[in-house]
Amino acid sequence: MKVLILGISGGIARRLALRLHDSGHQVAGIDIRPWRDAPKDIPVHSVDVRKRATEDIFRRWKPEAVIHMATVTAFTVRGGERGRINLDGTKAVFDHCAAHGVKQVLFVGRHTFYGAAPDSPLYHSEDEPPRALEAIPELADLVAADLYAATALWRLPDITTAVLRLVYTLGTPGTGTLANLIRGKRVPMVLGYDPLFHVLQEEDVVTALQLALEKRVRGIFNVAGPAPVPLSVIIRGTGRAPVPLPSPLLSLLMGRAGFPRLSVGATDHLRYPIVVDNKRFLEATGFQATYDEGRILRAYADALPVDRAGLG
């Protein structure tokens, strides 16, 4: 199968590209970031997914499947530019897929779609709407991109579309939202709260994405692995020290005193859990995570031990 990966230079996307290549697929990628040591037979095009050059790649290379991993989080790009990348970029991707005969699209989203709120159910199903966006407006464009991708299920019936909402990932690169939160020696918590966190090791993420592609799943799916664990367990399991602080003080200290910089309203994610029901994905793909909670935390600790964290 000819598979085009958008955002191919990201850590998980690179692993996925290599896995698919080794499994016999033809793989190409698009990313404005370089992948300098990419294999020669995995062409990487340094273009913006919103530009005309991207459509030229679709026209010339004629991918059968597209994996869209080119959205950005609230913590990397600010303001209107993030919205243009996430929403306008996603619209452009589906427009190109419809115009150039792509048969399958995987949109890789995030489980934070559901929002962190005190009245949320413990386990979120795929049929639930997003909540508490007013608390974290930076998530709005990611939610909009997710919802737009989901409209392809009825707008573009000839394309097999899957929207995959992945939980937090931890792995050897030590990157990502949760990884950045626990990067330093001391990790902030909101005093009186210890929310459950769902985590998935990056190799298992790659396996889940490969299964979704090769099983040609269609629909909206939560993708998770082991059972959720309290944030304090994650912190201690990676060799860090939890520092419970009152919420107002925590908001003032974010980005200072060795604590990570978080977006406005992100402390809600340190109060309320976002836990997902992944039964639908398991039934559709047979996915089984190979890393349990303890092994995930040890792998992160080995990849980024406290004495090399550089913070705190």
Side-chain angles (χ1 to χ4, degrees), residues 157-214:
D158 293 335
I159 298 178
T160 300
T161 298
V163 175
L164 307 176
R165 295 172 181 162
L166 270 64
V167 299
Y168 290 122
T169 60
L170 284 178
T172 53
T175 58
T177 301
L178 178 58
N180 289 333
L181 172 67
I182 64 174
R183 189 178 185 87
K185 298 178 182 179
R186 298 175 298 154
V187 181
M189 296 181 62
V190 177
L191 185 66
Y193 293 86
D194 194 6
L196 294 171
F197 271 60
H198 246 144
V199 293
L200 192 60
Q201 209 278 339
E202 290 172 340
E203 287 296 333
D204 283 333
V205 174
V206 170
T207 298
L209 295 177
Q210 182 179 11
L211 283 170
L213 177 75
E214 295 178 346

Side-chain angles (χ1 to χ4, degrees), residues 122-135:
L122 179 56
Y123 280 85
H124 294 275
S125 73
E126 292 88 348
D127 301 324
E128 291 178 29
R131 299 169 182 261
L133 291 182
E134 69 281 358

Side-chain angles (χ1 to χ4, degrees), residues 1-310:
M1 186 188 305
K2 297 181 72 173
V3 183
L4 181 64
I5 301 177
L6 309 182
I8 195 170
S9 295
I12 294 175
R14 292 187 190 193
R15 294 183 183 204
L16 176 62
L18 295 173
R19 177 85 67 84
L20 294 178
H21 174 266
D22 291 344
S23 299
H25 298 283
Q26 290 180 260
V27 180
I30 293 176
D31 204 312
I32 59 173
R33 301 166 296 177
W35 182 6
R36 293 186 176 86
D37 58 348
K40 292 182 179 180
D41 51 354
I42 299 182
V44 178
H45 305 276
S46 181
V47 298
D48 188 318
V49 296
R50 298 166 292 174
K51 304 299 183 181
R52 181 175 297 178
T54 294
E55 185 172 10
D56 291 340
I57 294 166
F58 275 77
R59 183 183 298 110
R60 293 195 309 268
W61 202 65
K62 300 186 184 304
E64 299 167 80
V66 168
I67 304 176
H68 182 17
M69 304 179 72
T71 57
V72 296
T73 69
F75 312 114
T76 56
V77 180
R78 292 185 173 276
E81 179 62 12
R82 185 186 55 245
R84 287 186 287 273
I85 292 172
N86 289 337
L87 186 53
D88 295 349
T90 296
K91 181 181 184 303
V93 168
F94 278 95
D95 287 347
H96 299 335
C97 289
H100 298 287
V102 174
K103 300 300 183 184
Q104 184 179 6
V105 178
L106 300 184
F107 174 87
V108 181
R110 298 159 177 82
H111 80 311
T112 49
F113 168 91
Y114 298 107
D119 58 346
S120 293
L122 179 56
Y123 280 85
H124 294 275
S125 73
E126 292 88 348
D127 301 324
E128 291 178 29
R131 299 169 182 261
L133 291 182
E134 69 281 358
I136 310 183
E138 294 91 339
L139 289 179
D141 46 72
L142 285 171
V143 169
D146 183 297
L147 293 172
Y148 185 84
T151 67
L153 290 166
W154 55 266
R155 285 190 307 106
L156 304 172
D158 293 335
I159 298 178
T160 300
T161 298
V163 175
L164 307 176
R165 295 172 181 162
L166 270 64
V167 299
Y168 290 122
T169 60
L170 284 178
T172 53
T175 58
T177 301
L178 178 58
N180 289 333
L181 172 67
I182 64 174
R183 189 178 185 87
K185 298 178 182 179
R186 298 175 298 154
V187 181
M189 296 181 62
V190 177
L191 185 66
Y193 293 86
D194 194 6
L196 294 171
F197 271 60
H198 246 144
V199 293
L200 192 60
Q201 209 278 339
E202 290 172 340
E203 287 296 333
D204 283 333
V205 174
V206 170
T207 298
L209 295 177
Q210 182 179 11
L211 283 170
L213 177 75
E214 295 178 346
K215 298 282 188 178
R216 297 184 60 83
V217 298
R218 178 186 179 93
I220 301 172
F221 301 90
N222 295 327
V223 182
V229 294
L231 177 58
S232 62
V233 172
I234 294 173
I235 295 170
R236 292 191 177 94
T238 55
R240 276 70 177 162
V243 182
L245 296 168
S247 181
L249 178 59
L250 179 57
S251 297
L252 290 174
L253 289 177
M254 284 304 183
R256 303 181 179 93
F259 291 129
R261 187 174 181 273
L262 299 179
S263 65
V264 175
T267 53
D268 279 353
H269 287 264
L270 303 181
R271 289 192 187 97
Y272 313 120
I274 306 177
V275 176
V276 297
D277 180 351
N278 64 337
K279 181 180 179 182
R280 184 182 296 179
F281 186 72
L282 300 184
E283 291 177 345
T285 64
F287 170 68
Q288 290 186 334
T290 57
Y291 282 74
D292 61 20
E293 304 94 315
R295 191 178 174 200
I296 292 173
L297 301 183
R298 288 192 299 273
Y300 179 84
D302 290 343
L304 194 70
V306 171
D307 59 3
R308 285 169 41 203

